[in-house]
Amino acid sequence: MFKDCFPTAPQLLDFAAVGSLKYQGVIKIINKTEIITTLYENANPENAAPMKKYMKDKFDFLGLKKPERNLLSKQFLKGAKKDETIDWNFVFRLWSFPEREFQYLAMEYLVALKELLTEEDLSKLKQLILDKSWWDTVDLIAAKLVGEIGVRNRGFTESAMKKWAKSEDIWIARTALLFQLKYKEDTNKELLKEVIKCNLGTKEFFIDKAIGWALREYSKTDPDFVRNVIETVDLAPLAKREGGKYV
């Protein structure tokens, strides 16, 4: 039904050419209406079913794999980087669509404008985490968006993450575990240890996996700290195995 709402001319993509890396055309998307129309008009039903199955049938898909999606959205996202403010109405509009590619587009749009994110936007990101929650959106929001806010607003973000780590919602807690994923030497390791301790004994796969991932990533920077955590904290076997891969 959404197709009829956006009557602009779509940019049609030659999927066979993209698949063989022969596509040389330029996808000219100039506004938010056209990018929505174009994604719908380039839907590939043959891909949609297996993509939905891969995501445990939690979401519908247009059937646009990342290479095709990138070609279709490249010019739109390039233009979006010139914006002076984040259009949150557009973000939440994309989030409301049933097909998962629109949530991916929303995140790519936010990543393009991540330097405009402020501490006030943390509550909006929380809404996205809580709606249509799954690892494919939550992990990017945690590391690239919440993490970006944390870089420029450390005190505020760290205080919020201490609260999020105690959340009964596993995706909010997972975000607190992963938001420092790319911080390397700037990681607040005591905070990392604190949020890990808040999530011991949950027997939740996505929590234990996140603990292991956070430790494994930080072990590339401070292996002694990670080794100490593994030896002194009562981690779940999965977390310990994942976290100790490099130490």
Side-chain angles (χ1 to χ4, degrees), residues 95-159:
W95 219 262
S96 73
F97 282 58
E99 295 86 2
R100 197 59 164 169
E101 287 89 345
F102 291 107
Q103 284 89 67
Y104 297 155
L105 178 61
M107 293 189 299
E108 290 160 0
Y109 170 79
L110 288 172
V111 169
L113 295 172
K114 65 181 182 178
E115 293 182 0
L116 299 179
L117 289 167
T118 69
E119 59 186 48
E120 286 78 16
D121 293 322
L122 194 60
S123 62
K124 299 183 183 71
L125 293 177
K126 187 176 184 179
Q127 292 180 58
L128 299 182
I129 293 168
L130 290 170
D131 187 15
K132 298 182 172 70
S133 307
W134 200 238
W135 61 265
D136 58 332
T137 53
V138 171
D139 293 357
L140 187 147
I141 292 172
K144 291 192 175 182
L145 302 177
V146 175
E148 177 68 22
I149 294 175
V151 167
R152 288 178 276 107
N153 303 273
R154 290 299 291 262
F156 174 86
T157 306
E158 289 182 359
S159 178

Side-chain angles (χ1 to χ4, degrees), residues 169-200:
D169 184 276
I170 64 168
W171 302 108
I172 296 297
R174 183 174 168 97
T175 299
L177 290 162
L178 297 179
F179 88 101
Q180 297 190 94
L181 199 62
K182 303 302 180 182
Y183 280 16
K184 298 181 179 180
E185 64 274 3
D186 293 324
T187 298
N188 181 336
K189 56 188 179 183
E190 294 308 317
L191 175 60
L192 176 58
K193 190 173 183 178
E194 180 178 341
V195 298
I196 288 173
K197 287 184 173 180
C198 286
N199 286 278
L200 297 177

